[in-house]
Amino acid sequence: NIISQLPVLEKNIPIIAIGGIVPNDVRPLLEAGVFGIAVSGAIGKASNPAKAFKEFQEQFQFQQI
C-alpha cells in the first residue's frame, strides 16, 4: 500500500482517513498506517451518539495493549 511506501520515499505525510468510517474500519485503517481517523460525523449523526462513541472507542483499545 502507498502508506507503507512513504518512509522509503522519505515522505512524512500524516494520512487522515475521513468519510464513511464505521467501527469495524478502525483496526484495518490503523494497521494500514493512517495517522488518524475522523469519526465525528458517524458519531454526530448516529441515533445513539453515546453508543456510537463507545463502539469506536472499543476499536481503538487494541492500540493501547
Side-chain angles (χ1 to χ4, degrees):
N1 73 37
I2 190 67
I3 295 172
S4 64
Q5 294 175 11
L6 290 174
V8 174
L9 299 172
E10 297 182 6
K11 302 290 182 190
N12 188 13
I13 302 169
I15 306 295
I16 309 295
I18 301 172
I21 297 168
V22 297
N24 287 337
D25 295 329
V26 171
R27 184 175 294 204
L29 287 168
L30 292 174
E31 289 173 347
V34 299
F35 180 79
I37 301 172
V39 297
S40 61
I43 293 170
K45 294 177 184 176
S47 60
N48 184 340
K51 180 181 176 192
F53 174 81
K54 184 176 179 184
E55 290 172 352
F56 277 105
Q57 186 178 36
E58 288 170 356
Q59 292 300 312
F60 281 100
Q61 294 302 317
F62 88 96
Q63 282 292 100
Q64 299 176 7
I65 296 174

Short mmCIF file of all heavy atoms in Angstrom, two decimals:
data_model
loop_
_atom_site.label_atom_id
_atom_site.label_comp_id
_atom_site.label_asym_id
_atom_site.label_seq_id
_atom_site.Cartn_x
_atom_site.Cartn_y
_atom_site.Cartn_z
N ASN A 1 0.84 -1.19 0.00
CA ASN A 1 0.00 0.00 0.00
C ASN A 1 0.88 1.24 0.00
O ASN A 1 2.03 1.22 0.41
CB ASN A 1 -1.01 -0.04 1.14
CG ASN A 1 -0.42 0.19 2.52
OD1 ASN A 1 0.49 0.98 2.69
ND2 ASN A 1 -0.95 -0.50 3.50
N ILE A 2 0.34 2.32 -0.44
CA ILE A 2 1.10 3.56 -0.59
C ILE A 2 1.59 4.10 0.75
O ILE A 2 2.67 4.69 0.83
CB ILE A 2 0.30 4.63 -1.36
CG1 ILE A 2 1.18 5.83 -1.72
CG2 ILE A 2 -0.90 5.09 -0.54
CD1 ILE A 2 2.26 5.54 -2.70
N ILE A 3 0.82 3.89 1.81
CA ILE A 3 1.23 4.40 3.12
C ILE A 3 2.55 3.76 3.55
O ILE A 3 3.43 4.43 4.06
CB ILE A 3 0.13 4.18 4.17
CG1 ILE A 3 -1.11 5.00 3.81
CG2 ILE A 3 0.62 4.54 5.57
CD1 ILE A 3 -2.31 4.73 4.66
N SER A 4 2.69 2.46 3.34
CA SER A 4 3.92 1.79 3.75
C SER A 4 5.12 2.22 2.91
O SER A 4 6.26 2.07 3.32
CB SER A 4 3.75 0.27 3.68
OG SER A 4 3.53 -0.14 2.33
N GLN A 5 4.89 2.79 1.74
CA GLN A 5 5.97 3.22 0.87
C GLN A 5 6.46 4.64 1.19
O GLN A 5 7.54 5.02 0.76
CB GLN A 5 5.53 3.17 -0.59
CG GLN A 5 5.25 1.77 -1.08
CD GLN A 5 4.69 1.77 -2.49
OE1 GLN A 5 4.68 2.77 -3.17
NE2 GLN A 5 4.20 0.62 -2.91
N LEU A 6 5.71 5.40 1.96
CA LEU A 6 6.09 6.78 2.24
C LEU A 6 7.46 6.92 2.91
O LEU A 6 8.24 7.77 2.50
CB LEU A 6 5.01 7.48 3.04
CG LEU A 6 3.71 7.77 2.27
CD1 LEU A 6 2.66 8.34 3.20
CD2 LEU A 6 3.95 8.70 1.10
N PRO A 7 7.79 6.10 3.93
CA PRO A 7 9.13 6.25 4.52
C PRO A 7 10.25 6.00 3.52
O PRO A 7 11.28 6.68 3.55
CB PRO A 7 9.15 5.21 5.64
CG PRO A 7 7.71 5.01 5.99
CD PRO A 7 6.97 5.17 4.67
N VAL A 8 10.06 5.06 2.63
CA VAL A 8 11.07 4.77 1.61
C VAL A 8 11.24 5.97 0.69
O VAL A 8 12.35 6.28 0.25
CB VAL A 8 10.67 3.51 0.79
CG1 VAL A 8 11.63 3.28 -0.36
CG2 VAL A 8 10.59 2.29 1.71
N LEU A 9 10.17 6.65 0.43
CA LEU A 9 10.21 7.83 -0.43
C LEU A 9 10.64 9.07 0.35
O LEU A 9 10.66 10.17 -0.20
CB LEU A 9 8.82 8.07 -1.04
CG LEU A 9 8.28 6.96 -1.92
CD1 LEU A 9 6.82 7.24 -2.29
CD2 LEU A 9 9.12 6.79 -3.16
N GLU A 10 10.99 8.87 1.63
CA GLU A 10 11.39 9.96 2.53
C GLU A 10 10.30 11.02 2.65
O GLU A 10 10.56 12.21 2.65
CB GLU A 10 12.73 10.55 2.10
CG GLU A 10 13.86 9.55 2.18
CD GLU A 10 15.21 10.12 1.81
OE1 GLU A 10 15.32 11.33 1.60
OE2 GLU A 10 16.16 9.35 1.76
N LYS A 11 9.08 10.54 2.74
CA LYS A 11 7.92 11.42 2.91
C LYS A 11 7.34 11.19 4.30
O LYS A 11 7.18 10.06 4.73
CB LYS A 11 6.84 11.14 1.85
CG LYS A 11 7.31 11.28 0.43
CD LYS A 11 7.58 12.71 0.09
CE LYS A 11 8.02 12.83 -1.37
NZ LYS A 11 8.51 14.12 -1.71
N ASN A 12 7.05 12.23 4.98
CA ASN A 12 6.42 12.15 6.29
C ASN A 12 5.11 12.92 6.21
O ASN A 12 5.02 14.06 6.64
CB ASN A 12 7.34 12.72 7.37
CG ASN A 12 6.79 12.47 8.75
OD1 ASN A 12 5.89 11.67 8.94
ND2 ASN A 12 7.33 13.16 9.73
N ILE A 13 4.13 12.29 5.63
CA ILE A 13 2.83 12.92 5.40
C ILE A 13 1.80 12.25 6.30
O ILE A 13 1.56 11.05 6.18
CB ILE A 13 2.40 12.78 3.93
CG1 ILE A 13 3.46 13.39 3.01
CG2 ILE A 13 1.03 13.39 3.70
CD1 ILE A 13 3.27 13.07 1.56
N PRO A 14 1.19 12.99 7.22
CA PRO A 14 0.16 12.38 8.06
C PRO A 14 -1.10 12.12 7.24
O PRO A 14 -1.69 13.04 6.68
CB PRO A 14 -0.09 13.41 9.15
CG PRO A 14 0.37 14.70 8.58
CD PRO A 14 1.44 14.38 7.57
N ILE A 15 -1.48 10.88 7.14
CA ILE A 15 -2.67 10.48 6.39
C ILE A 15 -3.84 10.35 7.37
O ILE A 15 -3.74 9.63 8.37
CB ILE A 15 -2.46 9.12 5.68
CG1 ILE A 15 -1.20 9.14 4.81
CG2 ILE A 15 -3.70 8.72 4.90
CD1 ILE A 15 -1.25 10.10 3.64
N ILE A 16 -4.93 11.04 7.08
CA ILE A 16 -6.12 11.00 7.91
C ILE A 16 -7.25 10.36 7.10
O ILE A 16 -7.55 10.80 6.00
CB ILE A 16 -6.58 12.42 8.34
CG1 ILE A 16 -5.42 13.21 8.96
CG2 ILE A 16 -7.79 12.34 9.27
CD1 ILE A 16 -4.90 12.67 10.26
N ALA A 17 -7.85 9.31 7.65
CA ALA A 17 -8.97 8.65 7.00
C ALA A 17 -10.25 9.42 7.35
O ALA A 17 -10.54 9.66 8.52
CB ALA A 17 -9.08 7.21 7.47
N ILE A 18 -11.00 9.81 6.32
CA ILE A 18 -12.20 10.62 6.51
C ILE A 18 -13.33 10.08 5.64
O ILE A 18 -13.13 9.79 4.47
CB ILE A 18 -11.93 12.09 6.11
CG1 ILE A 18 -10.81 12.68 6.95
CG2 ILE A 18 -13.19 12.93 6.22
CD1 ILE A 18 -10.36 14.05 6.48
N GLY A 19 -14.50 9.99 6.20
CA GLY A 19 -15.71 9.73 5.42
C GLY A 19 -16.17 8.29 5.40
O GLY A 19 -15.44 7.40 4.97
N GLY A 20 -17.36 8.05 5.86
CA GLY A 20 -17.99 6.75 5.77
C GLY A 20 -17.37 5.68 6.65
O GLY A 20 -17.56 4.48 6.41
N ILE A 21 -16.64 6.07 7.66
CA ILE A 21 -15.94 5.12 8.50
C ILE A 21 -16.89 4.58 9.57
O ILE A 21 -17.59 5.34 10.24
CB ILE A 21 -14.71 5.77 9.14
CG1 ILE A 21 -13.74 6.19 8.04
CG2 ILE A 21 -14.03 4.83 10.13
CD1 ILE A 21 -12.63 7.09 8.48
N VAL A 22 -16.88 3.27 9.72
CA VAL A 22 -17.66 2.59 10.76
C VAL A 22 -16.67 1.93 11.72
O VAL A 22 -15.49 1.78 11.40
CB VAL A 22 -18.63 1.54 10.15
CG1 VAL A 22 -19.66 2.22 9.26
CG2 VAL A 22 -17.89 0.47 9.39
N PRO A 23 -17.13 1.55 12.92
CA PRO A 23 -16.20 0.99 13.90
C PRO A 23 -15.33 -0.17 13.38
O PRO A 23 -14.15 -0.24 13.71
CB PRO A 23 -17.12 0.52 15.03
CG PRO A 23 -18.24 1.50 14.99
CD PRO A 23 -18.46 1.74 13.50
N ASN A 24 -15.87 -1.02 12.55
CA ASN A 24 -15.08 -2.14 12.04
C ASN A 24 -13.97 -1.71 11.09
O ASN A 24 -13.10 -2.51 10.76
CB ASN A 24 -15.97 -3.17 11.36
CG ASN A 24 -16.79 -3.97 12.34
OD1 ASN A 24 -16.44 -4.09 13.52
ND2 ASN A 24 -17.91 -4.50 11.89
N ASP A 25 -13.98 -0.46 10.66
CA ASP A 25 -12.92 0.05 9.79
C ASP A 25 -11.69 0.51 10.57
O ASP A 25 -10.61 0.64 10.00
CB ASP A 25 -13.42 1.25 8.97
CG ASP A 25 -14.53 0.90 8.00
OD1 ASP A 25 -14.55 -0.24 7.51
OD2 ASP A 25 -15.37 1.78 7.75
N VAL A 26 -11.85 0.76 11.86
CA VAL A 26 -10.77 1.38 12.64
C VAL A 26 -9.50 0.54 12.64
O VAL A 26 -8.42 1.03 12.30
CB VAL A 26 -11.24 1.66 14.09
CG1 VAL A 26 -10.07 2.10 14.97
CG2 VAL A 26 -12.33 2.71 14.09
N ARG A 27 -9.59 -0.70 13.03
CA ARG A 27 -8.39 -1.54 13.13
C ARG A 27 -7.66 -1.66 11.80
O ARG A 27 -6.45 -1.42 11.74
CB ARG A 27 -8.73 -2.92 13.70
CG ARG A 27 -7.48 -3.77 13.91
CD ARG A 27 -7.80 -5.06 14.58
NE ARG A 27 -8.27 -4.77 15.92
CZ ARG A 27 -8.21 -5.63 16.92
NH1 ARG A 27 -7.73 -6.83 16.72
NH2 ARG A 27 -8.66 -5.31 18.11
N PRO A 28 -8.35 -2.01 10.70
CA PRO A 28 -7.63 -2.10 9.42
C PRO A 28 -6.98 -0.78 8.99
O PRO A 28 -5.89 -0.78 8.43
CB PRO A 28 -8.70 -2.54 8.42
CG PRO A 28 -9.78 -3.15 9.23
CD PRO A 28 -9.73 -2.47 10.57
N LEU A 29 -7.65 0.32 9.27
CA LEU A 29 -7.08 1.62 8.91
C LEU A 29 -5.81 1.91 9.71
O LEU A 29 -4.80 2.34 9.17
CB LEU A 29 -8.10 2.74 9.11
CG LEU A 29 -9.22 2.79 8.08
CD1 LEU A 29 -10.32 3.74 8.54
CD2 LEU A 29 -8.68 3.21 6.72
N LEU A 30 -5.86 1.65 11.01
CA LEU A 30 -4.69 1.88 11.84
C LEU A 30 -3.56 0.93 11.46
O LEU A 30 -2.39 1.32 11.42
CB LEU A 30 -5.04 1.74 13.32
CG LEU A 30 -5.97 2.82 13.88
CD1 LEU A 30 -6.36 2.50 15.31
CD2 LEU A 30 -5.31 4.19 13.79
N GLU A 31 -3.90 -0.31 11.17
CA GLU A 31 -2.88 -1.28 10.76
C GLU A 31 -2.26 -0.91 9.41
O GLU A 31 -1.11 -1.23 9.14
CB GLU A 31 -3.47 -2.68 10.71
CG GLU A 31 -3.76 -3.24 12.10
CD GLU A 31 -4.49 -4.56 12.09
OE1 GLU A 31 -5.02 -4.98 11.04
OE2 GLU A 31 -4.55 -5.19 13.17
N ALA A 32 -3.03 -0.20 8.59
CA ALA A 32 -2.51 0.24 7.29
C ALA A 32 -1.56 1.42 7.45
O ALA A 32 -0.84 1.77 6.53
CB ALA A 32 -3.65 0.62 6.36
N GLY A 33 -1.58 2.05 8.64
CA GLY A 33 -0.64 3.11 8.90
C GLY A 33 -1.19 4.53 8.87
O GLY A 33 -0.41 5.47 8.85
N VAL A 34 -2.51 4.68 8.90
CA VAL A 34 -3.03 6.04 8.92
C VAL A 34 -2.64 6.73 10.22
O VAL A 34 -2.46 6.08 11.26
CB VAL A 34 -4.56 6.11 8.72
CG1 VAL A 34 -4.97 5.53 7.39
CG2 VAL A 34 -5.30 5.48 9.85
N PHE A 35 -2.50 8.03 10.17
CA PHE A 35 -2.13 8.83 11.33
C PHE A 35 -3.32 9.09 12.23
O PHE A 35 -3.20 9.17 13.44
CB PHE A 35 -1.54 10.16 10.84
CG PHE A 35 -1.10 11.08 11.92
CD1 PHE A 35 0.10 10.89 12.58
CD2 PHE A 35 -1.89 12.16 12.29
CE1 PHE A 35 0.51 11.74 13.59
CE2 PHE A 35 -1.48 13.03 13.30
CZ PHE A 35 -0.28 12.81 13.95
N GLY A 36 -4.50 9.22 11.62
CA GLY A 36 -5.70 9.50 12.39
C GLY A 36 -6.95 9.13 11.62
O GLY A 36 -6.91 8.87 10.42
N ILE A 37 -8.06 9.11 12.34
CA ILE A 37 -9.34 8.73 11.76
C ILE A 37 -10.39 9.74 12.22
O ILE A 37 -10.52 10.00 13.42
CB ILE A 37 -9.75 7.31 12.19
CG1 ILE A 37 -8.69 6.30 11.75
CG2 ILE A 37 -11.12 6.96 11.63
CD1 ILE A 37 -8.91 4.92 12.30
N ALA A 38 -11.13 10.31 11.27
CA ALA A 38 -12.19 11.26 11.59
C ALA A 38 -13.52 10.51 11.67
O ALA A 38 -13.94 9.88 10.71
CB ALA A 38 -12.27 12.33 10.51
N VAL A 39 -14.13 10.56 12.85
CA VAL A 39 -15.39 9.84 13.04
C VAL A 39 -16.49 10.74 13.59
O VAL A 39 -17.54 10.26 13.99
CB VAL A 39 -15.21 8.61 13.96
CG1 VAL A 39 -14.26 7.61 13.33
CG2 VAL A 39 -14.71 9.01 15.33
N SER A 40 -16.27 12.04 13.61
CA SER A 40 -17.25 12.94 14.22
C SER A 40 -18.62 12.85 13.54
O SER A 40 -19.65 12.90 14.21
CB SER A 40 -16.75 14.37 14.22
OG SER A 40 -16.53 14.82 12.90
N GLY A 41 -18.62 12.72 12.22
CA GLY A 41 -19.90 12.61 11.51
C GLY A 41 -20.63 11.34 11.87
O GLY A 41 -21.85 11.35 12.09
N ALA A 42 -19.90 10.24 11.96
CA ALA A 42 -20.52 8.96 12.30
C ALA A 42 -21.11 8.99 13.70
O ALA A 42 -22.17 8.42 13.95
CB ALA A 42 -19.49 7.83 12.20
N ILE A 43 -20.45 9.68 14.61
CA ILE A 43 -20.96 9.77 15.98
C ILE A 43 -22.10 10.79 16.05
O ILE A 43 -23.15 10.53 16.63
CB ILE A 43 -19.83 10.14 16.95
CG1 ILE A 43 -18.83 8.98 17.04
CG2 ILE A 43 -20.39 10.48 18.33
CD1 ILE A 43 -17.56 9.29 17.78
N GLY A 44 -21.90 11.95 15.44
CA GLY A 44 -22.90 13.01 15.50
C GLY A 44 -24.21 12.67 14.82
O GLY A 44 -25.27 13.12 15.24
N LYS A 45 -24.15 11.87 13.78
CA LYS A 45 -25.36 11.51 13.04
C LYS A 45 -26.00 10.22 13.52
O LYS A 45 -27.06 9.84 13.03
CB LYS A 45 -25.03 11.39 11.55
CG LYS A 45 -24.64 12.72 10.93
CD LYS A 45 -24.26 12.56 9.48
CE LYS A 45 -23.78 13.89 8.90
NZ LYS A 45 -23.32 13.75 7.53
N ALA A 46 -25.37 9.54 14.45
CA ALA A 46 -25.90 8.27 14.95
C ALA A 46 -27.18 8.50 15.75
O ALA A 46 -27.34 9.54 16.39
CB ALA A 46 -24.85 7.58 15.84
N SER A 47 -28.07 7.54 15.72
CA SER A 47 -29.30 7.65 16.50
C SER A 47 -29.00 7.62 18.00
O SER A 47 -29.74 8.18 18.79
CB SER A 47 -30.28 6.54 16.13
OG SER A 47 -29.71 5.27 16.38
N ASN A 48 -27.89 6.98 18.36
CA ASN A 48 -27.44 6.95 19.75
C ASN A 48 -25.95 7.31 19.76
O ASN A 48 -25.10 6.43 19.71
CB ASN A 48 -27.68 5.56 20.34
CG ASN A 48 -27.33 5.47 21.81
OD1 ASN A 48 -26.58 6.29 22.34
ND2 ASN A 48 -27.88 4.47 22.48
N PRO A 49 -25.62 8.60 19.81
CA PRO A 49 -24.23 9.03 19.74
C PRO A 49 -23.33 8.42 20.83
O PRO A 49 -22.18 8.10 20.57
CB PRO A 49 -24.30 10.55 19.87
CG PRO A 49 -25.67 10.90 19.40
CD PRO A 49 -26.53 9.76 19.83
N ALA A 50 -23.85 8.26 22.03
CA ALA A 50 -23.04 7.68 23.11
C ALA A 50 -22.65 6.25 22.78
O ALA A 50 -21.51 5.83 23.00
CB ALA A 50 -23.80 7.74 24.43
N LYS A 51 -23.57 5.48 22.24
CA LYS A 51 -23.29 4.10 21.85
C LYS A 51 -22.28 4.07 20.70
O LYS A 51 -21.35 3.26 20.71
CB LYS A 51 -24.58 3.38 21.44
CG LYS A 51 -24.37 1.96 21.03
CD LYS A 51 -25.66 1.29 20.61
CE LYS A 51 -25.38 -0.11 20.11
NZ LYS A 51 -26.53 -0.69 19.44
N ALA A 52 -22.46 4.95 19.74
CA ALA A 52 -21.53 5.01 18.62
C ALA A 52 -20.12 5.36 19.09
O ALA A 52 -19.14 4.74 18.66
CB ALA A 52 -22.01 6.03 17.58
N PHE A 53 -20.03 6.33 20.00
CA PHE A 53 -18.72 6.70 20.56
C PHE A 53 -18.07 5.50 21.23
O PHE A 53 -16.89 5.22 21.03
CB PHE A 53 -18.88 7.85 21.56
CG PHE A 53 -17.59 8.18 22.26
CD1 PHE A 53 -16.65 8.98 21.64
CD2 PHE A 53 -17.33 7.68 23.52
CE1 PHE A 53 -15.46 9.28 22.27
CE2 PHE A 53 -16.14 7.97 24.15
CZ PHE A 53 -15.19 8.77 23.54
N LYS A 54 -18.83 4.78 22.03
CA LYS A 54 -18.30 3.62 22.74
C LYS A 54 -17.81 2.56 21.76
O LYS A 54 -16.77 1.94 21.97
CB LYS A 54 -19.35 3.03 23.68
CG LYS A 54 -18.83 1.89 24.50
CD LYS A 54 -19.86 1.38 25.48
CE LYS A 54 -19.25 0.22 26.25
NZ LYS A 54 -20.15 -0.42 27.15
N GLU A 55 -18.55 2.34 20.67
CA GLU A 55 -18.14 1.34 19.68
C GLU A 55 -16.81 1.73 19.02
O GLU A 55 -15.95 0.88 18.82
CB GLU A 55 -19.23 1.17 18.62
CG GLU A 55 -20.47 0.48 19.16
CD GLU A 55 -21.63 0.48 18.18
OE1 GLU A 55 -21.55 1.15 17.12
OE2 GLU A 55 -22.64 -0.18 18.49
N PHE A 56 -16.65 3.01 18.72
CA PHE A 56 -15.37 3.46 18.16
C PHE A 56 -14.27 3.34 19.20
O PHE A 56 -13.17 2.87 18.91
CB PHE A 56 -15.46 4.90 17.64
CG PHE A 56 -16.03 5.00 16.26
CD1 PHE A 56 -17.33 5.46 16.07
CD2 PHE A 56 -15.28 4.65 15.15
CE1 PHE A 56 -17.86 5.55 14.80
CE2 PHE A 56 -15.81 4.74 13.88
CZ PHE A 56 -17.10 5.19 13.70
N GLN A 57 -14.56 3.75 20.41
CA GLN A 57 -13.57 3.70 21.48
C GLN A 57 -13.07 2.27 21.69
O GLN A 57 -11.87 2.04 21.87
CB GLN A 57 -14.17 4.24 22.77
CG GLN A 57 -13.19 4.37 23.91
CD GLN A 57 -13.84 4.95 25.14
OE1 GLN A 57 -15.01 4.67 25.42
NE2 GLN A 57 -13.11 5.76 25.86
N GLU A 58 -13.96 1.31 21.65
CA GLU A 58 -13.56 -0.09 21.82
C GLU A 58 -12.60 -0.54 20.73
O GLU A 58 -11.70 -1.33 20.98
CB GLU A 58 -14.81 -0.98 21.85
CG GLU A 58 -15.62 -0.84 23.11
CD GLU A 58 -16.97 -1.53 23.04
OE1 GLU A 58 -17.34 -2.07 21.98
OE2 GLU A 58 -17.67 -1.52 24.07
N GLN A 59 -12.79 -0.04 19.53
CA GLN A 59 -11.91 -0.42 18.42
C GLN A 59 -10.51 0.16 18.58
O GLN A 59 -9.54 -0.40 18.09
CB GLN A 59 -12.52 0.00 17.08
CG GLN A 59 -13.76 -0.76 16.72
CD GLN A 59 -13.50 -2.24 16.61
OE1 GLN A 59 -12.56 -2.69 15.98
NE2 GLN A 59 -14.34 -3.04 17.27
N PHE A 60 -10.39 1.29 19.27
CA PHE A 60 -9.08 1.90 19.50
C PHE A 60 -8.34 1.22 20.64
O PHE A 60 -7.13 1.39 20.76
CB PHE A 60 -9.22 3.39 19.79
CG PHE A 60 -9.43 4.23 18.56
CD1 PHE A 60 -10.71 4.65 18.22
CD2 PHE A 60 -8.37 4.58 17.76
CE1 PHE A 60 -10.91 5.43 17.08
CE2 PHE A 60 -8.56 5.35 16.62
CZ PHE A 60 -9.83 5.78 16.29
N GLN A 61 -9.01 0.46 21.47
CA GLN A 61 -8.40 -0.14 22.65
C GLN A 61 -7.23 -1.06 22.30
O GLN A 61 -6.27 -1.15 23.04
CB GLN A 61 -9.43 -0.91 23.48
CG GLN A 61 -10.48 -0.03 24.10
CD GLN A 61 -9.91 1.03 25.02
OE1 GLN A 61 -9.02 0.78 25.81
NE2 GLN A 61 -10.44 2.23 24.93
N PHE A 62 -7.30 -1.76 21.18
CA PHE A 62 -6.23 -2.71 20.85
C PHE A 62 -4.90 -2.00 20.67
O PHE A 62 -3.85 -2.60 20.89
CB PHE A 62 -6.59 -3.52 19.59
CG PHE A 62 -6.18 -2.87 18.30
CD1 PHE A 62 -4.99 -3.22 17.70
CD2 PHE A 62 -6.97 -1.89 17.70
CE1 PHE A 62 -4.59 -2.61 16.51
CE2 PHE A 62 -6.59 -1.28 16.52
CZ PHE A 62 -5.40 -1.65 15.92
N GLN A 63 -4.91 -0.72 20.33
CA GLN A 63 -3.67 0.05 20.14
C GLN A 63 -2.93 0.24 21.46
O GLN A 63 -1.73 0.42 21.47
CB GLN A 63 -3.98 1.44 19.57
CG GLN A 63 -4.26 1.47 18.11
CD GLN A 63 -3.04 1.15 17.29
OE1 GLN A 63 -2.89 0.03 16.84
NE2 GLN A 63 -2.17 2.09 17.09
N GLN A 64 -3.64 0.22 22.58
CA GLN A 64 -3.05 0.56 23.86
C GLN A 64 -2.44 -0.64 24.56
O GLN A 64 -1.85 -0.51 25.59
CB GLN A 64 -4.11 1.21 24.75
CG GLN A 64 -4.64 2.49 24.17
CD GLN A 64 -5.76 3.07 24.99
OE1 GLN A 64 -6.06 2.61 26.07
NE2 GLN A 64 -6.39 4.10 24.46
N ILE A 65 -2.59 -1.83 24.01
CA ILE A 65 -2.06 -3.05 24.66
C ILE A 65 -0.59 -3.21 24.36
O ILE A 65 -0.09 -2.91 23.38
CB ILE A 65 -2.88 -4.28 24.18
CG1 ILE A 65 -4.31 -4.13 24.66
CG2 ILE A 65 -2.26 -5.56 24.70
CD1 ILE A 65 -5.25 -5.18 24.15
#
